[in-house]
Amino acid sequence: MRDLSTLPKAHLHLHFTGAMRPTTLADLAREQGRRLPESLVDADPLRVPADQRGWFRFQRQYDAARAVVRGETAMRRIVREAAEDDAAEGSRRLEIQVDPTSYAPFVGGLTPALEIVLDEARAASRDTGVEVAVVVAASRTRHPLDARTLARLAARYAGEGPGEVVGFGLSNDERRGETSEWAAAFRIARRAGLVGTPHGGELLGPEHVRDVVAHLKPARLGHGVRAAEDQRLLEMVAEAGIALEVCPASNVSLGVYHDVAEVPLLALLDAGAQVALGADDPLLFLSRLTDQYRVAREVHGLDDAALADLARASVRASTASAGTTQRVLTEIDAWLAA
Ligand SMILES: [Zn+2]
């Protein structure tokens, strides 16, 4: 059996704060004399029910972690370590999601907050060999006009390479707000050549996926697993080439499924959907990128050829240049041939 941590792959669903190493979180909290909630520092992955109260528990922990990120040094450290950790797991391309709004007050505004992330992404790419690109994500908890501001900011840094903005997302509780109200922000992003990568179809079902697809015209869906509950919708998503950023550990932690065995990975693949596995928030779910591939192998029974196909899909669904894509696909062939 081949080593999954050396399988070349792309990581398309990882949040900035959620990428933090637990040891880094502890360091930063100590430096600031802050106490962290016990549930955030214990060795148990988060488990909450998939309702509003569960989401609040998740959000409280996330906010507690984010509260220790108060400046440039911490921000650079998170990007750097995310790249190092991805490198150790065979990732060749990381598209990390960040909402600069939370960090802006500590570094003098939205623009410097994003520029710090981009600058460190560029440096970390050079040092680790993982291309680190950035997805700017708006939040459903804020006004849609804020999302437009972020989309305009993201557009100024649009590109495809390391240290550039490649996509525009929408995160936080899927139940918040009217999806159509974010259409304008996604239009601004698309005009700048950014791919739309909103969350959709994790906490809510097929109706939500339909809404997100219709209004936000995504190239990829954050999660999208619940599309499996409606075969026609799933076929439409697959035919439209909308890739699904599937994060099994996240689905279980957030109570969408009781067990990773219930994640409809095979149904998605059978329908021809492009699936890119991701870790989402390893800080809270205590499960990293390679762990998701391990689930696909050990729980869903994928053999190495099928796992290589998954890795290929992750690379094809990324926004990497044609040159990078070809190089990584060749490396995947070599992994499988070994
Ligand atoms: Zn996410």
Side-chain angles (χ1 to χ4, degrees), residues 22-139:
T23 48
T24 297
L25 175 68
D27 281 355
L28 295 176
R30 202 167 34 241
E31 281 167 19
Q32 294 166 23
R34 271 174 189 266
R35 271 180 67 94
L36 293 166
E38 187 52 38
S39 50
L40 192 54
V41 288
D42 64 20
D44 297 323
L46 181 79
R47 279 301 282 264
V48 296
D51 57 16
Q52 203 90 49
R53 295 178 73 152
W55 182 267
F56 282 141
R57 273 174 57 197
F58 163 69
Q59 201 58 48
R60 258 203 311 276
Q61 295 215 7
Y62 205 90
D63 290 344
R66 189 160 42 204
V68 305
V69 186
R70 301 171 81 87
E72 179 168 348
T73 311
M75 292 174 71
R76 286 188 181 275
R77 182 170 174 184
I78 291 173
V79 175
R80 164 81 37 174
E81 291 177 350
E84 289 171 358
D85 292 345
D86 252 51
E89 297 192 82
S91 168
R92 302 292 197 268
R93 171 90 177 177
L94 167 61
E95 298 183 359
I96 192 167
Q97 231 174 99
V98 64
D99 178 353
T101 315
S102 320
Y103 316 103
F106 306 108
V107 293
L110 279 177
T111 302
L114 180 58
E115 285 196 352
I116 288 165
V117 171
L118 296 176
D119 187 61
E120 191 62 32
R122 222 158 14 238
S125 301
R126 208 171 41 230
D127 298 341
T128 63
V130 180
E131 288 189 357
V132 184
V134 170
V135 171
V136 170
S139 170

Side-chain angles (χ1 to χ4, degrees), residues 13 15 97 199 223 280-281:
H13 199 112
H15 294 273
Q97 231 174 99
H199 285 63
H223 302 291
D280 207 357
D281 297 301

